[in-house]
Amino acid sequence: MIVWLNGTHGAGKTTTSALVQKLIPDSRVFDAEKVGETLMDITPGLPGPGTDNFQHWPPWRPLVVETARRVLDYTGGTLVMPMTVLVEQYWREISTGLAQHAIPVRHFVLHADQDTLRGRIEGDTLLGPSPFRLKYLEPYAEAARTWLHGEAEVVDTTHLTPAQAALQIAEAVKSRGPRNPAFYSSGSQA
């Protein structure tokens, strides 16, 4: 199965994913950003929209699905995938692709209020303040309002440590397994 950790920059996806991996037996972290970095390294660059976001390149979504499928075929277990996906069409392509391979997905959104997110990004001692990361705060808020929070299990990290968020996610996965019938019947896909 896949435990997908969505949310914008500063929500704690990368840190939390490493902690979730330690709490779920037979799991591995797969950062789909690496697929995007591979596409960005192609020279000359890929045609298409001039963008600094590799998610807009059509090959990225099916390559994420195929890579996850191949890794799971090889290793079994669980993939913990920290990756921001704010475009609903892109999430649909990925989740439909995984479903076509009968890969169950638990989709979590790590959420924090805008002030907390801005403070985390501006105070990041590892990456430093990042205009790239800050420009995704409003698109995240819009996705959260319009579709994202309805498609996932929301974990509000505003007042949680990454360890507390990881424990909450791992316990949810362990207690309800890959599929939660009540959650699915509500119209959400996680």
Side-chain angles (χ1 to χ4, degrees):
M1 78 175 284
I2 290 174
V3 175
W4 194 290
L5 303 185
N6 205 338
T8 195
H9 305 283
K13 295 178 308 298
T14 301
T15 303
T16 303
S17 66
L19 297 168
V20 168
Q21 184 274 322
K22 291 177 182 175
L23 296 170
I24 297 176
D26 195 24
S27 65
R28 292 167 175 74
V29 174
F30 165 42
D31 187 345
E33 187 166 334
K34 301 300 181 189
V35 174
E37 289 173 4
T38 298
L39 293 174
M40 291 175 73
D41 286 343
I42 295 173
T43 54
L46 295 177
T51 179
D52 57 357
N53 185 341
F54 53 75
Q55 291 187 17
H56 297 311
W57 287 325
W60 180 75
R61 280 105 50 202
L63 284 171
V64 167
V65 170
E66 186 64 16
T67 304
R69 178 181 79 85
R70 295 290 181 155
V71 170
L72 285 171
D73 283 351
Y74 181 65
T75 64
T78 300
L79 287 182
V80 179
M81 296 182 62
M83 187 71 224
T84 301
V85 179
L86 301 180
V87 177
E88 184 176 9
Q89 174 190 339
Y90 298 172
W91 176 252
R92 298 264 177 251
E93 289 177 39
I94 291 167
S95 60
T96 299
L98 294 168
Q100 287 172 341
H101 294 292
I103 300 170
V105 177
R106 288 294 294 270
H107 184 195
F108 294 90
V109 171
L110 301 186
H111 174 78
D113 63 55
Q114 292 283 307
D115 291 338
T116 299
L117 291 168
R118 185 174 307 284
R120 288 177 184 171
I121 293 168
E122 291 173 349
D124 190 321
T125 57
L126 190 61
L127 299 175
S130 165
F132 175 85
R133 295 168 77 205
L134 286 169
K135 80 178 184 180
Y136 284 94
L137 291 179
E138 184 50 41
Y140 167 73
E142 178 65 18
R145 280 191 299 273
T146 59
W147 71 274
L148 184 58
H149 283 195
E151 291 292 321
E153 298 171 70
V154 178
V155 177
D156 190 334
T157 67
T158 303
H159 302 292
L160 295 179
T161 66
Q164 291 168 324
L167 185 59
Q168 186 174 332
I169 291 164
E171 287 178 349
V173 169
K174 290 176 186 176
S175 70
R176 290 175 277 190
R179 295 189 181 265
N180 174 353
F183 192 72
Y184 276 81
S185 66
S186 71
S188 296
Q189 299 173 7

